[in-house]
Amino acid sequence: MTAHVAVVGPSGAGKDTLIAAALAARPDLSPLRRVITRPADSGGEDFEGVSPGEFARMRAEGRFLLDWQAHGLSYGLPRDAFYGGPKLINLSRRILPRAAAALPGLRVIHVSARPEILAQRLAARGREDAAQIAARIARDVGDLPLDLPVIHIDNSTTIEAATADFLAALEKVTA
């Protein structure tokens, strides 16, 4: 991989599932482990769970290359996680302009799914009630930056089809 690859898209689009499948298929890929203010045993991606106070301390110490808030949580990308070459990063669409400035050559894969699919997947997680799920799906994050090359993947059908599309997209952006 020659450049960092940001994987973006709405909650429930299947980013974590596709990243895991890519890591299994491509041992040359290296994931970036995010810091998130939620319990480490809450499922989903492999992340470092910290308290809001610990996150604030890490931020004040300058330990994050990028950090942001979404859905009542704080997310951070540790500076030291970028050693050892390019990373595959689960990233927020809202901070893509900041990420592009901090990570020259950043590539972007946008994973999406139909709203009803997103709602089903979010409900299956069991982390939020119906009103929170509806708010999450309705959240406007704006358009993707026009100056970044973006490959779009629709993960509304089967995981096999989306995985094939995702691996093909990775092949294009990491060649």
Side-chain angles (χ1 to χ4, degrees), residues 119-150:
Q120 290 170 3
R121 291 176 183 164
L122 292 171
R125 287 183 186 174
R127 292 186 207 151
E128 299 165 311
D129 63 30
Q132 291 169 315
I133 290 170
R136 194 180 271 259
I137 291 171
R139 182 176 76 123
D140 181 19
V141 296
D143 295 327
L144 294 171
L146 296 175
D147 57 340
L148 282 175
V150 178

Side-chain angles (χ1 to χ4, degrees), residues 43-134:
E45 69 184 281
D46 177 27
F47 66 95
E48 180 181 350
V50 299
S51 69
E54 178 69 6
F55 191 93
R57 183 185 62 75
M58 294 171 79
R59 186 172 193 244
E61 291 173 354
R63 293 182 47 195
F64 298 125
L65 178 68
L66 294 168
D67 66 272
W68 66 97
Q69 283 71 46
H71 312 297
L73 301 172
S74 296
Y75 296 79
L77 305 182
R79 287 183 186 282
D80 61 4
F82 287 91
Y83 297 122
K87 305 292 181 198
L88 190 57
I89 310 164
N90 183 339
L91 197 61
S92 170
R93 293 165 287 170
R94 289 167 57 185
I95 67 156
L96 275 175
R98 287 179 33 216
L103 302 166
L106 182 69
R107 305 290 190 255
V108 180
I109 299 175
H110 178 252
V111 180
S112 63
R114 293 188 315 270
E116 65 273 16
I117 300 292
L118 297 176
Q120 290 170 3
R121 291 176 183 164
L122 292 171
R125 287 183 186 174
R127 292 186 207 151
E128 299 165 311
D129 63 30
Q132 291 169 315
I133 290 170

